[in-house]
Amino acid sequence: MHYPFFSGTASPGTRGPHPDGASAGTDGGFADPAAARLARLRQRMAWPSGGPEAVDATERGLDHEELLSLTRGDLIGAIEFGHIYPVFQPQISAQHGGIVGLEVLARWSDKGRHHAPDKFVGSITSHGVETLLLDHFLGACGRVRTRFPQYTGRFSLNVNPRTAAAAGFVQGFVRASMSHGLDIARVVLELTEQTRISRGSEARLLENLSALSARGMVISQDDFGSGYASLQALGLLPFKQVKVDKILLHRARHAERARRLFFSSMALARSLELQTVAEGVESPDDVTLARSLGADLLQGYAISPPMPFERLQL
Ligand code: C2E
Ligand code: CA
Ligand code: CA
């Protein structure tokens, strides 16, 4: 299997047929049993001329069952053909209001149907293709950098800890950022879903994140305050940023107890000298609340929805 991420042969990516800025697929690199399946995929999934907007929205796309039974080849095809593509959501400074970051989020459009990332991102991780997705997204970040040379902020990419703990992850990531002309010090790696990982993986995760952090990458704890995004991880891994789970902010609108929880999370992060991000900021009241509770950065619909490359204004 050919992985540009690890082989260092990734090109900066030519603009693909997809209006969301994902790169075009190539025929090369699939010299494995998935090739036949990919050929079928090409027929089933290729956009007609005019891109996805030109597709009849009633035409059948992937349904729930199909999403559940996705194979590795399906996912690779969808990434390579640009059906899975990045959107960018700005993060602003709570102090001066300028855009200081862009979170890259995955979208999948298939024949007029749009699939939420929580429906397919798990499969991307479990089939071991998250590095391929990251490679494509780093390429898209490189294009944003080229299009908006005046933008000096960071690019936040989501990654599952299992992927980040893999052998070769650091070298692959460094190589991919370089090949896309992106300074690794401008990358934030948001660790999502803190699935329980083995002790061995935990040690490798620490090793990998420490190596990336030493190169200037910002490691961020996503969804802090939910599930496994725990205090324990905060003590163990070299985080420089914490994103407090949006549910906490939403509850803090109405409940004093939740407000205190949110505030305490911020205070804890500050005491560890971590930058804090409030996500899910949906209204001017949320902006006021998140600022009063001590967030350094704000992200959410009140500021901007996630936007495809074409609609991005920086
Ligand atoms: P997340 O990393 O916590 O991303 C924030 C989610 O909140 C995004 O949902 C975003 O579209 C949504 N959001 C943004 N502003 C607001 C707001 O004001 N209010 C509310 N209620 N929601 C807001 P999305 O794009 O559906 O992504 C869901 C989750 O899927 C992400 O949560 C992340 O965990 C995962 N995900 C998305 N893209 C990727 C990816 O490329 N790689 C990995 N590993 N995970 C991804
Ligand atoms: Ca995130
Ligand atoms: Ca989050």
Side-chain angles (χ1 to χ4, degrees):
M1 181 65 58
H2 169 77
Y3 273 134
F5 191 85
F6 288 107
S7 66
T9 55
S11 74
T14 48
R15 294 294 314 287
H18 200 287
D20 286 299
S23 62
T26 58
D27 284 327
F30 289 106
D32 81 344
R37 191 173 179 95
L38 275 168
R40 271 184 280 126
L41 262 172
R42 185 189 286 280
Q43 281 195 323
R44 188 159 67 93
M45 299 169 92
W47 301 120
S49 59
E53 271 75 34
V55 178
D56 178 359
T58 59
E59 195 179 341
R60 194 171 155 279
L62 293 176
D63 60 25
H64 183 65
E65 291 296 305
E66 284 171 311
L67 277 173
L68 285 179
S69 62
L70 286 168
T71 67
R72 194 161 194 262
D74 292 336
L75 293 164
I76 292 171
I79 294 168
E80 291 287 341
F81 298 147
H83 298 173
I84 295 179
Y85 59 91
V87 289
F88 303 87
Q89 187 173 37
Q91 300 172 333
I92 62 165
S93 158
Q95 275 178 349
H96 57 70
I99 298 178
V100 292
L102 288 174
E103 180 173 3
V104 185
L105 294 157
R107 294 290 178 267
W108 189 344
S109 295
D110 172 63
K111 293 187 175 165
R113 284 206 193 184
H114 304 286
H115 309 299
D118 55 5
K119 295 275 192 308
F120 64 85
V121 160
S123 305
I124 285 182
T125 304
S126 61
H127 283 294
V129 291
E130 197 168 11
T131 48
L132 180 67
L133 186 73
L134 282 168
D135 193 4
H136 275 251
F137 283 7
L138 282 167
C141 294
R143 288 193 292 278
V144 170
R145 192 192 64 95
T146 306
R147 182 170 155 211
F148 301 102
Q150 75 283 10
Y151 174 68
T152 54
R154 292 196 163 104
F155 296 92
S156 299
L157 295 155
N158 292 282
V159 72
N160 188 291
R162 272 201 282 162
T163 303
F169 181 77
V170 174
Q171 295 82 343
F173 204 103
V174 170
R175 215 183 290 137
S177 331
M178 278 170 64
S179 79
H180 296 301
L182 204 65
D183 181 356
I184 206 163
R186 290 185 66 184
V187 175
V188 178
L189 203 62
E190 295 189 5
L191 276 211
T192 61
E193 193 194 333
Q194 300 287 288
T195 33
R196 279 189 196 283
I197 52 177
S198 67
R199 284 233 175 264
S201 300
E202 201 171 81
R204 268 204 318 278
L205 181 62
L206 175 60
E207 193 183 315
N208 285 355
L209 295 183
S210 301
L212 290 166
S213 176
R215 289 171 175 268
M217 183 192 274
V218 172
I219 311 295
S220 176
Q221 168 74 84
D222 206 353
D223 305 327
F224 184 66
S226 79
Y228 292 119
S230 67
L231 283 177
Q232 204 184 343
L234 219 51
L236 185 75
L237 299 171
F239 291 116
K240 292 244 173 60
Q241 181 186 85
V242 161
K243 298 185 80 172
V244 177
D245 194 68
K246 53 183 174 291
I247 303 289
L248 278 187
L249 175 67
H250 296 171
R251 291 195 183 130
R253 292 169 186 155
H254 312 292
E256 177 58 25
R257 219 178 154 80
R259 250 193 306 279
R260 288 186 193 202
L261 253 179
F262 190 99
F263 181 77
S264 305
S265 308
M266 292 289 173
L268 173 70
R270 261 197 311 279
S271 77
L272 295 170
E273 297 179 1
L274 305 175
Q275 183 181 56
T276 55
V277 185
E279 59 174 21
V281 175
E282 292 178 348
S283 64
D285 283 351
D286 279 355
V287 172
T288 308
L289 182 60
R291 290 182 74 195
S292 73
L293 294 175
D296 296 319
L297 307 188
L298 309 175
Q299 179 181 351
Y301 301 148
I303 293 133
S304 166
M307 281 178 300
F309 182 83
E310 278 66 21
R311 279 193 237 132
L312 200 55
Q313 293 295 331
L314 296 175

